[in-house]
Amino acid sequence: MNLALQLLRSLDDPTLDHAGRAALRCALARELTEAGSYEAARSALGELWQRVGEAPRLDGLDRAMAAEVLLRAGTLSGWIGSARQVGGAQEEAKNLISRGLEIFQSLGAQDKVAEAEIELAWCYFREGAIDEARIMLRDARDRLGEDNIVLRASAMQRLAEIERVATRPNDALDILNEMRALVEATENHALKGRFYNTLAHTLDDLSIAENRQDYTDRALIESAAASYHFEQAGHTPHYARVENNLGFLLYRLGRYTDAHEHLDRARSLFVSLKDFGSVGQVDDTRARVLLAQGRNADAERVVRGAVNSLRKGGEQALLAEALTTYGVALARLGRVEQARAVLREAVEVAESAGDREGAGRAALTLIEERGLRLRRNELVELYQRADTLLAGSQHVGTLARLRACARRLLSPDTASNYIETDAPLFLYGSEQTADLVHYAECVAKTLRPVLVTGETGTGKEVLARLIHHDSQRTGAFVAVNCAAICDTLFESQLFGHKKGSFTDALEDYGGAVCEAKGGTLFLDEVGELSEANQAKLLRLIDGGEVYAVGSPVPEQVDVRIVAATNRDLKREVEAGRFRADLFYRLSAFLIEIPPLRERPEDISVLARHFIEEASRRHAKRLTFTPESIEALRSLRLKGNVRELRSLIERSFLLAADGTEVTQEQVETLALRQTQKAGLTDAWASCSLDEEVRLFEGKLIRRALDAAHGQLTAAARLLGITHQGLSFILNGRQKELLKVRQPVRRRRGSIIRADRTHARTRAIRKSVADSER
């Protein structure tokens, strides 16, 4: 930092020209970056570069200095983007550093080329592109001579860190042992701190892989050394990272109180630095400690914040780790469907980032968490995927987990404990829906009727099947659509009939109720039943008795009733269209499923599931960006889950393999009023006139409904005149004429009419008299 102060004072020299001042600014920025003072380094560049996403000002600089400015701006874009979780920052950093690297290559400046490669590799590493980062760092190491100790050691330290993250701890240890002599030959405290920190991580990984307690003890010692050197270097961010690492080490040793103390210090430091990406990493570590302590609800709350923070940046490998922890916390809280969706997302995120090891570990977690109720074929598919992803793994602990999962899948004694063959999937991502599903699971244990209400497509039958499954009743789940059965056949279809009881009764038929003996009878659209059939259903619910058509005696049947409707049955009762006694018997337990627009957090979870399902069925891959999946929340989805599923299915049918669905396409589709477009071609068959007409029609209908069909009142709501609205309705919106209230002709007063006629007669008589 003494050098930084000297450089800062030199900037005040009035004799400096533009090039000299730029050189000083770059040197100061480099020194401050090395110390971890990234915002100060950004300020040091002054007018040369202002902020992430802004192009550096290179006018008036020779090529060498322009390349140096590009390198400094690119390096800071990567560090600041990581700290602030700025979307697209790593891509911007790569572009700037690559431009500088090309200029250095053309000038033959080998040391500067190597420095640029080291920083460029770290941008790729942040994104999870480990192979690309490894190649660049090896090239940088080989390019540097023995005399450039600091740069060569930096390349080797980052290479060791990459090998460690890629679960090659022995390779990482070999590199660190080779690097030790370089580290001892320098007084650079920041470099020494990074060396001891990576060494501590590597020893900890080896202690797990080889079950060596002495390695764990050495890891604690090396962490303390790293902490000392970072403190000497004044490198607060790295000092905070060591505190996080110590918290993780102590958690693994079961020293939870000590772990929380170190994590508190790390979080406080990162918050003061406004390094929200690292705050997310600390929160992920803390969530693991809380899970180990059995504090699952606290773990879920903490790691949920970490996931939300890490989603904003481009560091997909870190996001995948946090998603895995989040999935475990959800599973242990019993939020099964959400846990499955989150863990599957962790697999996809890690694999798309090139982190095959992380993707494989997330897949293993899906198999290991026994409460997830996965079907056997899903478990086998997950195991095969994990096996493929981990084919090159050298991590002994991960490979041991893989073998343990294989044994579980093959063992007939343990399979029944965690493999479900027909468990229904009611997917969700919101706490609101989680509470609803939990209530349904509790209700399932009773024998009382359940009434499920909600708009069309919200998943009423899926929830009914979940209730049946969790009730553990041995009989079948039999679904009857009340709206699809005519009144005269309802009794026969539901309760059965005897041979010869009517013309077409050629043999005995047991009916749907008998099919559901010992199980669940699901009555869909129960609000469509006629009053006569409502009375017949009431007899079944009251006494469990079934009178088959043509049978003189009733039959006792053990059946659980679950009914569903998209109507408001309370209003139907008030209007006299539905029996009050039947309503109160059916709604012993009432579950209302809100529409998707009231639970937008569920949309992304459902969408990912439907995308994965459609991809398998059509053997086709469509890429949905994370932003496009989040943008699906803006869709109207009047058909709720059913419409979302159809929309994704249609996209897979019509789009070419490899098509990317972007945020812009989804947002465009959300603005469309017609149904001709899809996710992969949001502008298909677009007609502005038709889109505007449809939107106008919806707004006018809403105004007429609010005004109870009165044209003048509706026009006032719309901010136009009565005549203007009448012109529109009689022109381009004729279909809305039926919504308006018919015009009532005013009846004239009888008294006024008589007076008018009398006056007219008097005038006529006066004129006639005058003419005579």
Side-chain angles (χ1 to χ4, degrees):
M1 292 299 290
N2 291 332
L3 177 59
L5 290 172
Q6 292 173 18
L7 291 168
L8 189 61
R9 293 192 189 101
S10 299
L11 282 173
D12 296 329
D13 186 351
T15 63
L16 279 175
D17 60 7
H18 178 56
R21 191 173 299 277
L24 274 175
R25 287 194 178 281
C26 286
L28 179 58
R30 188 177 190 277
E31 186 70 16
L32 291 169
T33 302
E34 181 72 9
S37 302
Y38 306 125
E39 284 297 335
R42 180 187 62 79
S43 298
L45 285 176
E47 72 282 355
L48 296 174
W49 182 71
Q50 296 293 312
R51 61 186 62 85
V52 177
E54 186 174 294
R57 297 177 183 176
L58 307 177
D59 45 304
L61 301 176
D62 61 26
R63 296 184 68 215
M65 186 50 60
E68 184 67 25
V69 172
L70 287 167
L71 176 56
R72 300 276 69 83
T75 301
L76 286 169
S77 292
W79 284 111
I80 294 172
S82 175
R84 301 284 189 272
Q85 289 296 282
V86 180
Q90 301 309 315
E91 201 61 33
E92 174 69 14
K94 288 192 297 184
N95 290 337
L96 292 172
I97 296 171
S98 296
R99 286 171 58 193
L101 190 150
E102 288 174 5
I103 297 172
F104 286 135
Q105 283 178 326
S106 67
L107 295 172
Q110 294 301 311
D111 284 1
K112 298 305 296 184
V113 170
E115 184 182 351
E117 284 181 326
I118 291 169
E119 297 300 340
L120 185 60
W122 212 238
C123 293
Y124 277 104
F125 173 68
R126 292 190 190 104
E127 292 180 319
I130 289 174
D131 290 337
E132 291 87 342
R134 181 188 288 118
I135 291 167
M136 286 182 190
L137 287 169
R138 285 175 177 169
D139 185 67
R141 179 195 60 186
D142 297 342
R143 187 184 299 276
L144 290 162
E146 296 293 336
D147 54 332
N148 200 329
I149 295 174
V150 174
L151 267 184
R152 185 177 174 81
S154 293
M156 294 177 71
Q157 180 268 321
R158 292 189 179 182
L159 184 57
E161 182 66 20
I162 283 175
E163 298 298 0
R164 186 193 70 78
V165 171
T167 64
R168 298 177 178 178
N170 287 305
D171 292 346
L173 189 59
D174 289 342
I175 295 169
L176 291 167
N177 286 333
E178 182 185 349
M179 174 188 169
R180 187 181 291 275
L182 293 174
V183 172
E184 291 173 353
T186 180
E187 293 301 319
N188 189 310
H189 285 290
L191 177 61
K192 287 176 180 286
R194 289 198 297 272
F195 168 78
Y196 287 115
N197 191 39
T198 302
L199 181 57
H201 271 303
T202 304
L203 290 169
D204 182 47
D205 290 343
L206 286 168
S207 75
I208 298 171
E210 301 177 13
N211 195 24
R212 298 254 320 248
Q213 179 63 40
D214 59 320
Y215 277 174
T216 305
D217 296 336
R218 279 188 59 194
L220 287 169
I221 294 169
E222 304 299 354
S223 291
S227 183
Y228 166 78
H229 285 293
F230 283 135
E231 195 171 12
Q232 291 298 307
H235 202 308
T236 306
H238 279 354
Y239 177 74
R241 287 189 183 91
V242 173
E243 288 295 304
N244 180 52
N245 299 340
L246 280 167
F248 186 80
L249 276 169
L250 291 166
Y251 135 69
R252 284 202 36 255
L253 292 171
R255 294 165 56 182
Y256 303 133
T257 303
D258 293 338
H260 282 300
E261 288 179 4
H262 284 280
L263 292 174
D264 286 341
R265 280 197 289 272
R267 196 179 199 281
S268 177
L269 288 168
F270 283 130
V271 168
S272 68
L273 294 167
K274 297 182 181 179
D275 188 342
F276 303 117
S278 295
V279 169
Q281 288 180 261
V282 174
D283 287 343
D284 179 30
T285 306
R286 190 186 301 278
R288 298 187 198 192
V289 180
L290 292 168
L291 285 171
Q293 292 178 286
R295 296 166 58 185
N296 299 329
D298 291 336
E300 187 275 334
R301 175 181 52 79
V302 169
V303 76
R304 184 180 354 121
V307 167
N308 291 337
S309 174
L310 291 168
R311 279 193 195 282
K312 297 174 185 176
E315 298 180 65
Q316 298 299 291
L318 295 178
L319 173 60
E321 287 184 10
L323 284 168
T324 303
T325 308
Y326 188 30
V328 172
L330 290 168
R332 294 182 187 177
L333 287 171
R335 290 160 63 176
V336 175
E337 288 76 13
Q338 190 179 0
R340 279 188 293 210
V342 167
L343 286 169
R344 287 187 182 279
E345 183 187 358
V347 177
E348 297 298 331
V349 169
E351 190 173 10
S352 65
D355 183 7
R356 296 174 64 83
E357 187 83 20
R361 287 197 296 266
L364 290 179
T365 304
L366 264 166
I367 299 171
E368 291 165 342
E369 288 298 317
R370 299 192 179 204
L372 293 180
R373 299 190 304 199
L374 292 167
R375 296 178 178 89
R376 184 176 183 81
N377 63 327
E378 290 179 295
L379 288 167
V380 171
E381 181 185 336
L382 276 169
Y383 176 79
Q384 291 172 341
R385 188 171 185 182
D387 187 48
T388 302
L389 288 166
L390 298 170
S393 177
Q394 298 179 14
H395 196 283
V396 177
T398 302
L399 295 176
R401 289 174 63 189
L402 187 66
R403 288 193 295 272
C405 286
R407 286 194 295 272
R408 286 183 185 179
L409 284 170
L410 294 171
S411 171
D413 297 329
T414 60
S416 60
N417 291 333
Y418 69 101
I419 296 175
E420 298 287 346
T421 56
D422 59 352
L425 288 173
F426 195 91
L427 300 170
Y428 58 87
S430 65
E431 292 187 24
Q432 174 191 10
T433 314
D435 292 340
L436 181 148
V437 172
H438 179 66
Y439 178 68
E441 290 169 346
C442 294
V443 165
K445 305 300 186 290
T446 73
L447 297 177
R448 302 287 291 159
V450 181
L451 178 62
V452 185
T453 64
E455 292 181 5
T456 181
T458 50
K460 297 186 289 295
E461 183 172 345
V462 177
L463 189 66
R465 289 183 182 274
L466 180 67
I467 291 170
H468 168 70
H469 179 272
D470 288 348
S471 72
Q472 298 181 347
R473 291 177 65 83
T474 56
F477 177 91
V478 179
V480 175
N481 189 335
C482 298
I485 304 175
C486 64
D487 284 351
T488 55
L489 292 177
F490 176 80
E491 192 172 7
S492 170
Q493 292 293 313
L494 205 66
F495 307 128
H497 58 252
K498 296 295 181 181
K499 180 180 179 180
S501 56
F502 52 88
T503 305
D504 294 327
L506 303 179
E507 56 184 17
D508 289 350
Y509 171 61
V513 176
C514 288
E515 286 182 36
K517 272 185 183 179
T520 302
L521 178 67
F522 175 60
L523 300 172
D524 198 10
E525 302 301 343
V526 71
E528 306 297 327
L529 287 177
S530 66
E531 189 171 353
N533 287 330
Q534 290 174 32
K536 294 169 186 174
L537 182 59
L538 188 63
R539 189 171 59 202
L540 168 65
I541 297 173
D542 271 341
E545 291 183 348
V546 173
Y547 276 88
V549 178
S551 174
V553 292
E555 180 184 352
Q556 284 292 129
V557 180
D558 171 27
V559 67
R560 198 303 179 55
I561 304 292
V562 179
T565 181
N566 58 15
R567 290 191 177 193
D568 186 341
L569 286 191
K570 287 184 179 178
R571 288 191 178 181
E572 296 293 302
V573 168
E574 292 169 1
R577 292 188 291 269
F578 199 85
R579 293 179 62 114
D581 49 1
L582 177 58
F583 170 71
Y584 291 120
R585 283 169 174 79
L586 284 175
S587 59
F589 293 102
L590 177 62
I591 301 176
E592 182 177 359
I593 306 178
L596 271 182
R597 61 180 172 275
E598 294 179 11
R599 45 190 178 103
E601 296 90 345
D602 292 351
I603 293 176
S604 55
V605 174
L606 288 161
R608 288 189 180 94
H609 173 74
F610 295 147
I611 290 165
E612 185 177 336
E613 190 180 65
S615 182
R616 285 199 305 267
R617 185 165 50 253
H618 298 289
K620 185 187 290 185
R621 180 174 285 274
L622 266 63
T623 303
F624 285 74
T625 65
E627 294 79 15
S628 70
I629 290 179
E630 288 303 307
L632 290 171
R633 298 183 183 192
S634 62
L635 297 176
R636 292 181 296 278
L637 298 175
K638 291 185 177 179
N640 293 291
V641 180
R642 189 177 294 122
E643 183 180 347
L644 177 63
R645 185 175 198 161
S646 298
L647 187 62
I648 290 171
E649 183 76 17
R650 189 165 70 246
S651 299
F652 272 86
L653 281 170
L654 299 178
D657 191 17
T659 300
E660 182 180 73
V661 179
T662 64
Q663 178 182 357
E664 291 74 21
Q665 288 171 309
V666 178
E667 289 174 346
T668 301
L669 183 62
L671 293 172
R672 296 284 303 273
Q673 305 297 311
T674 60
Q675 298 300 314
K676 298 174 184 177
L679 289 171
T680 53
D681 190 3
W683 292 102
S685 305
C686 184
S687 165
L688 182 60
D689 289 341
E690 180 64 8
E691 297 289 341
V692 171
R693 190 188 73 80
L694 289 169
F695 180 78
E696 177 189 62
K698 289 181 180 180
L699 198 59
I700 291 173
R701 176 182 282 276
R702 186 175 288 272
L704 286 168
D705 288 342
H708 305 291
Q710 295 180 7
L711 204 61
T712 302
R716 192 177 297 119
L717 291 173
L718 292 166
I720 59 176
T721 63
H722 175 105
Q723 292 83 355
L725 181 55
S726 180
F727 175 80
I728 293 171
L729 290 176
N730 286 285
R732 57 182 178 270
Q733 300 290 349
K734 289 181 180 178
E735 65 273 13
L736 295 178
L737 285 170
K738 59 185 178 184
V739 182
R740 66 171 291 185
Q741 192 180 74
V743 177
R744 295 180 181 176
R745 295 189 176 278
R746 295 184 62 186
R747 305 176 85 181
S749 169
I750 296 174
I751 297 173
R752 288 181 179 176
D754 288 347
R755 286 178 179 173
T756 302
H757 293 323
R759 191 179 298 113
T760 303
R761 284 195 299 271
I763 292 170
R764 285 175 179 170
K765 184 176 182 302
S766 175
V767 172
D769 289 344
S770 65
E771 287 177 350
R772 285 197 295 267

